[in-house]
Amino acid sequence: METYLYIALFAPLVGSLFAGLFGARPKTIIAGLVPTGLLFASLVSSTILLTHVLAGNTVHVELMTWMETGDLYIPFGFVVDQVSVTMMMVVTIVSTVVHVYSIGYMDHDKGFNRFFSYLSAFVFSMMVLVMSDNFAGLFIGWEGVGLCSWLLIGFWYHKESATWAANEAFIMNRIADLGMLIGIFLIYWNTGSLQYDQVFAAVAGLEISTVVWIGIFLFIGAMGKSAQFPLHTWLADAMEGPTPVSALIHAATMVTAGVYLVVRANPIYDIIPEVGTVIASLGAFVAMFAASMALVNRDMKRIIAYSTLSQLGYMFVAAGLGAYWVALFHLMAHAFFKALLFLGAGNVMHAMSDELDPFKMGGLSKKMKGTFIMMTVASVALAGIYPLAGFFSKDMILEVAFVEHHYILYTVLLLTAGLTAFYSFRLIALIFHGEERYKLFGFDPHEAYKYMLWFMAPLAVLAVIAGMMFKGTYYDMVTQLLPAGEYHVHSAFTYWVMTIGTQIFVGLAIVYAYRKYENAKIDKKVESGFFYQLLFNQYYIPQFYEEFFVKPYRDLSMIFWKHIDLKVVDATVDMIGNTFYKTGKETHVMQNGNLSTMLRWMVAGLVFLLVSAIVFAKANDIFAYMVTIVPGLGA
């Protein structure tokens, strides 16, 4: 099984390096096909490893020693267990679909070869993150996906908005990563190891205050990667990257790494339930906070991005309340239907010449039947309608909150479910139904390539059946490693009232969204109401950051540049350089090749040496005399 582990891990890296060989050349189709084929090999290997794990086995390998000094020992070690293999399947399934989709989506892009090199490098970094058997290896993958996301978000580097968004994502994640590094340092300082098994065995013997700080700092890292408030603004801005990037990184894999970290570190968080409650509370706040902004946004990709942010909040609620397997279950189900939603949005963008305002669309179901069906399926799953995947995973999180007597969290998540259904079908109604408003703007929409739709189909199937198919098998597998909490409302009557009531509530939200937007007219203006403006401007948080963080930092940088860098640092360096330059310029006449001149300089030098010797001798005699007449001077 070790061979399959190496194939699953390193096949994406080989694909990235292969595509990189063609990076500076015009589009070469093989630069897309080979990485895609290698990623499919990674998927097959991951599937074989999944069957091995389902049989109750794990695979643990130590590739080589990374660091060994004193008591510090960190190997390049990898483990395939019940948690990592779940993430491996999510990453490889979605990545394979996205790679195939990207062959068509990036067909006419000049950076075709470079794109596949970056995309496969991201998958390799993500596999390192989820397969490492220690916190140091996890951090390598963590930083790797951060670097690759910077490359992919800013892929169209000629656009200032793309480079700005890439830098924002990179810097904001680095801020959070400092917290994660402190958490890792605390782990090693107090346990003497970074290996998961050794750390989790030792953590129970630490002081509670120490474990609290470890949990807090690790979660700060998770907040950045999973875009939790207040480090959330980068996620929506990251939509500047190509849409396949959004589907892979910002829906299914990278942004869920924070959830994976909390799930993987569950023995730490089990000891500090108070920190878990804070995590769950923040998650519930972010779920509603992000959903509210999606209600009024007029950018198709940003609406889906806010939806991702909201669903991450659901996952953190489950993880914070100790229902780690439920959080991982929603992570898995969400990956399928959200990636499908993003890829569908990519089809619409191509059909509409990269237009993102759904108010300029309408009636596209006639032109794009395949995309319409798949995006509708994904939206139904996202809304949590029975029997699609989202129903099982979201309903379970609501049950967790109710069973654990966190009724406020339950209420917030229930209201968020209604908002989710509303903004999801607001988008579907505006894009695919009503008048064909796109004609007024001169658009001539067309469906995507058929093979792109065919390869999106597996995600649509998984969005339908994942909840039913994986719930039993998945639970039996992951609870061999994660706490096997059962979360069922004891009263059957209460359960059915909750379940049916939630379905009715969500259904009414869908109906209301259709009635309000199915026959929408072209709306060129943004409404002027206070709450609408508040939501449309993202609660003015980006403006707050700009005014109180970005501008002061920029102004301070200008001061340092003008008054310290230019007037002190540069001036000092220039003075030293000019001094040597002028000295050389003045003395270069010594080397003019004239014999008479050179003899004169030789005589001058000899005189200088003789005078120096006489002065030195006299000074030495004077010092010797002073030693004889001044007691203690020689000492």
Side-chain angles (χ1 to χ4, degrees):
M1 286 295 162
E2 289 186 19
T3 301
Y4 293 115
L5 184 150
Y6 293 134
I7 293 173
L9 177 62
F10 290 110
L13 176 61
V14 175
S16 174
L17 295 174
F18 180 84
L21 296 175
F22 302 90
R25 301 182 184 180
K27 177 195 170 183
T28 308
I29 189 64
I30 196 172
L33 293 176
V34 170
T36 302
L38 287 168
L39 198 52
F40 181 73
S42 180
L43 170 59
V44 172
S45 297
S46 298
T47 305
I48 294 171
L49 290 167
L50 173 64
T51 60
H52 186 66
V53 173
L54 285 171
N57 306 300
T58 60
V59 183
H60 192 182
V61 301
E62 188 174 309
L63 187 60
M64 64 182 74
T65 298
W66 177 27
M67 293 184 187
E68 186 174 11
T69 174
D71 294 331
L72 176 64
Y73 175 71
I74 304 175
F76 279 115
F78 303 95
V79 62
V80 178
D81 57 20
Q82 291 79 6
V83 172
S84 61
V85 79
T86 302
M87 292 296 296
M88 289 167 62
M89 291 303 299
V90 170
V91 172
T92 53
I93 289 173
V94 176
S95 299
T96 302
V97 172
V98 169
H99 271 67
V100 175
Y101 178 91
S102 297
I103 294 174
Y105 189 89
M106 303 297 290
D107 185 35
H108 303 294
D109 197 287
K110 294 180 180 179
F112 181 90
N113 305 339
R114 180 168 56 91
F115 180 81
F116 278 91
S117 180
Y118 294 167
L119 203 64
S120 290
F122 169 83
V123 178
F124 169 67
S125 298
M126 193 69 200
M127 294 294 276
V128 170
L129 191 159
V130 302
M131 294 175 67
S132 290
D133 68 350
N134 62 82
F135 283 100
L138 179 145
F139 191 74
I140 292 175
W142 193 275
E143 294 303 295
V145 295
L147 171 62
C148 293
S149 69
W150 178 75
L151 293 170
L152 288 164
I153 295 168
F155 180 77
W156 290 316
Y157 53 85
H158 55 277
K159 293 171 55 181
E160 184 178 353
S161 58
T163 56
W164 188 91
N167 290 337
E168 180 191 23
F170 191 82
I171 292 169
M172 196 163 285
N173 273 274
R174 297 296 76 71
I175 294 170
D177 290 351
L178 175 60
M180 183 178 176
L181 266 178
I182 294 173
I184 293 174
F185 289 151
L186 285 174
I187 287 172
Y188 177 73
W189 185 264
N190 289 279
T191 67
S193 175
L194 292 176
Q195 298 296 117
Y196 291 147
D197 52 355
Q198 296 177 23
V199 170
F200 298 151
V203 75
L206 302 180
E207 293 184 6
I208 292 295
S209 59
T210 301
V211 182
V212 166
W213 283 114
I214 291 173
I216 289 173
F217 281 115
L218 288 181
F219 180 64
I220 289 173
M223 287 171 63
K225 198 66 74 184
S226 294
Q228 295 296 282
F229 178 88
L231 304 175
H232 66 282
T233 55
W234 70 267
L235 183 62
D237 293 335
M239 296 302 105
E240 289 290 339
T243 301
V245 173
S246 304
L248 179 61
I249 295 180
H250 306 115
T253 54
M254 188 186 88
V255 294
T256 61
V259 180
Y260 169 77
L261 173 61
V262 176
V263 171
R264 174 60 77 180
N266 70 89
I268 294 175
Y269 289 99
D270 277 343
I271 300 172
I272 46 175
E274 298 83 2
V275 175
T277 302
V278 173
I279 293 173
S281 300
L282 179 62
F285 166 75
V286 170
M288 178 167 279
F289 171 74
S292 66
M293 292 187 287
L295 295 175
V296 300
N297 201 277
R298 295 183 54 157
D299 183 312
M300 176 174 56
K301 287 178 66 177
R302 282 178 176 263
I303 292 170
I304 303 173
Y306 285 131
S307 174
T308 297
L309 184 54
S310 180
Q311 297 307 304
L312 287 167
Y314 273 90
M315 298 174 205
F316 277 115
V317 170
L321 296 180
Y324 305 105
W325 71 267
V326 178
L328 195 60
F329 183 45
H330 189 50
L331 184 159
M332 176 185 65
H334 171 264
F336 301 137
F337 55 73
K338 186 55 65 64
L340 179 62
L341 205 54
F342 265 117
L343 296 182
N347 291 349
V348 174
M349 282 183 65
H350 260 201
M352 297 291 294
S353 302
D354 292 335
E355 178 58 56
L356 289 166
D357 187 350
F359 281 93
K360 295 181 180 180
M361 300 177 189
L364 286 179
S365 60
K366 300 174 185 177
K367 296 279 188 177
M368 308 178 69
K369 291 182 180 179
T371 300
F372 163 61
I373 292 171
M374 291 191 188
M375 286 191 71
T376 302
V377 168
S379 296
V380 172
L382 175 59
I385 299 295
Y386 180 86
L388 275 70
F391 166 79
F392 292 96
S393 57
K394 289 174 71 174
D395 187 67
M396 185 59 68
I397 295 174
L398 288 168
E399 278 193 72
V400 169
F402 190 88
V403 170
E404 295 293 327
H405 308 294
H406 290 279
Y407 301 118
I408 295 177
L409 298 184
Y410 172 82
T411 304
V412 171
L413 294 181
L414 179 61
L415 292 174
T416 302
L419 298 181
T420 302
F422 179 85
Y423 68 65
S424 298
F425 283 89
R426 168 182 179 261
L427 191 62
I428 295 296
L430 286 171
I431 295 173
F432 295 108
H433 297 283
E435 299 178 5
E436 297 171 337
R437 299 182 298 277
Y438 62 84
K439 292 181 178 179
L440 299 176
F441 298 93
F443 294 119
D444 183 23
H446 55 84
E447 184 60 280
Y449 297 129
K450 286 187 178 180
Y451 78 84
M452 293 169 68
L453 295 176
W454 277 111
F455 275 92
M456 288 168 61
L459 293 178
V461 172
L462 288 169
V464 174
I465 68 172
M468 296 178 287
M469 185 173 73
F470 291 129
K471 188 176 179 182
T473 304
Y474 161 83
Y475 176 82
D476 293 338
M477 179 184 73
V478 297
T479 51
Q480 295 177 38
L481 186 64
L482 300 176
E486 290 280 358
Y487 303 97
H488 296 300
V489 178
H490 297 302
S491 169
F493 175 77
T494 304
Y495 170 78
W496 285 111
V497 168
M498 288 169 53
T499 303
I500 296 173
T502 301
Q503 292 291 288
I504 293 173
F505 178 56
V506 169
L508 291 173
I510 293 173
V511 171
Y512 178 62
Y514 262 109
R515 292 192 61 180
K516 185 174 177 62
Y517 292 104
E518 184 179 11
N519 296 307
K521 304 296 181 182
I522 296 173
D523 185 6
K524 297 182 180 180
K525 297 181 179 179
V526 176
E527 294 183 22
S528 58
F530 171 76
F531 287 107
Y532 190 98
Q533 285 292 319
L534 185 68
L535 300 179
F536 188 81
N537 288 287
Q538 306 172 59
Y539 294 92
Y540 296 98
I541 292 173
Q543 293 89 332
F544 175 83
Y545 287 169
E546 177 72 21
E547 194 66 33
F548 293 98
F549 291 100
V550 177
K551 285 184 178 179
Y553 182 80
R554 186 187 299 123
D555 294 342
L556 186 63
S557 299
M558 290 295 291
I559 292 171
F560 275 92
W561 173 58
K562 289 182 178 179
H563 299 287
I564 296 179
D565 193 42
L566 291 180
K567 294 182 179 180
V568 178
V569 178
D570 284 359
T572 302
V573 173
D574 290 344
M575 181 188 69
I576 295 171
N578 289 332
T579 300
F580 280 105
Y581 176 78
K582 290 179 180 178
T583 302
K585 186 176 182 181
E586 294 296 329
T587 58
H588 81 283
V589 294
M590 297 168 60
Q591 300 293 331
N592 63 0
N594 186 287
L595 182 60
S596 298
T597 302
M598 295 171 70
L599 287 172
R600 284 196 293 270
W601 280 110
M602 288 174 63
V603 171
L606 181 60
V607 171
F608 175 77
L609 290 173
L610 289 173
V611 171
S612 298
I614 292 170
V615 170
F616 178 78
K618 289 295 182 181
N620 192 47
D621 291 341
I622 292 170
F623 180 75
Y625 175 72
M626 293 297 292
V627 168
T628 61
I629 65 175
V630 180
L633 184 62

